[in-house]
Amino acid sequence: MRRRRKSLGFARKRRRIRINWEYLPVIGKWVFKIAVVCLLAFVYVWYFGQRVSTIGDSMNPVLENGDVVLINRIVYNATSPKRGDIIAFKPKGNDNAHYYIKRIVGLPGETIEIIENSIYINGKKIEEDYETTDIDDVGIASEKITLGGDEYFVLGDNRENSEDSRNADVGNVKRNYIYGEVWFTVSPRKNIGFVR
């Protein structure tokens, strides 16, 4: 019995792992590089790769129903949203609602009015350089709307079929309701590309 125990103790001593300290800096560099790559991948996905599905045809022809788009969440930390940007937001900040995707038409502090299928901002008619449909229903924009210091007026490009700032359920979009700017379509394959 004693001999057996001694031989087991001897075997345990032989199995000890020897650490070669020469490789420690090399291993440390690899661990650091992997950590940096993982961090960069996380930041990229979190700020540029959040996916949102387009629901409805309100942004035709730029976006179609079912298109999956990527959202740039960091751009508005550096700059303010601009007229013509396509944004994703939750109406009235409702976390239970799906994301709406619309185009910014009115900026904070501006007065918006829709008269005979034309949009007037601060009394001047604006010219839009993207394709839109006629505005048959002006909704709450039949009266002048003055935006607050953190509010935006948004419209879908397919204005005959869009629930946007003309509707009381959506209304003006506050800055903190904006999730980010739509910048790339990832599916379906036929629509892959940058959003204009």
Side-chain angles (χ1 to χ4, degrees), residues 110-113 140-147 153 165-166 172:
E110 294 181 336
T111 300
I112 313 295
E113 192 175 14
I140 62 173
S142 59
E143 304 282 326
K144 288 182 180 180
I145 297 173
T146 301
L147 301 173
F153 189 87
S165 289
R166 296 172 292 165
N172 301 334

Side-chain angles (χ1 to χ4, degrees), residues 76-96:
Y76 295 140
N77 290 339
T79 63
S80 296
K82 299 178 291 303
R83 194 180 334 277
D85 286 357
I86 298 175
I87 60 168
F89 67 95
K90 293 235 174 170
K92 306 282 187 190
N94 182 356
D95 288 333
N96 297 322

Side-chain angles (χ1 to χ4, degrees), residues 81-84 87 89 92 103-114 119-123 126 140-141 143-155 164-167 170-175 177-178:
K82 299 178 291 303
R83 194 180 334 277
I87 60 168
F89 67 95
K92 306 282 187 190
R103 191 181 297 273
I104 293 176
V105 174
L107 302 174
E110 294 181 336
T111 300
I112 313 295
E113 192 175 14
I114 300 175
I119 300 166
Y120 290 82
I121 296 177
N122 297 332
I126 64 164
I140 62 173
E143 304 282 326
K144 288 182 180 180
I145 297 173
T146 301
L147 301 173
D150 66 340
E151 293 180 335
Y152 296 84
F153 189 87
V154 299
L155 293 173
D164 46 39
S165 289
R166 296 172 292 165
N167 304 86
V170 177
N172 301 334
V173 178
K174 291 188 179 292
R175 172 65 187 88
Y177 300 162
I178 298 175

Side-chain angles (χ1 to χ4, degrees), residues 16 22 28 41 61 64 70 72 102 117 138 155-156 169 172 195:
R16 284 189 181 170
E22 294 174 12
E64 298 176 5
L70 297 181
N72 181 340
K102 308 293 178 193
N117 199 38
V138 296
L155 293 173
D169 291 341
N172 301 334
V195 176

Side-chain angles (χ1 to χ4, degrees), residues 7-46:
S7 63
L8 283 174
F10 181 72
R12 285 183 189 152
K13 287 180 183 176
R14 287 180 106 188
R15 290 184 185 168
R16 284 189 181 170
I17 298 170
R18 298 179 100 202
I19 298 173
N20 189 343
W21 297 104
E22 294 174 12
Y23 294 117
L24 198 57
V26 174
I27 293 169
K29 285 180 184 176
W30 275 103
V31 169
F32 177 75
K33 287 178 183 179
I34 291 169
V36 167
V37 168
C38 290
L39 178 66
L40 290 175
F42 173 79
V43 168
Y44 179 78
V45 170
W46 182 255

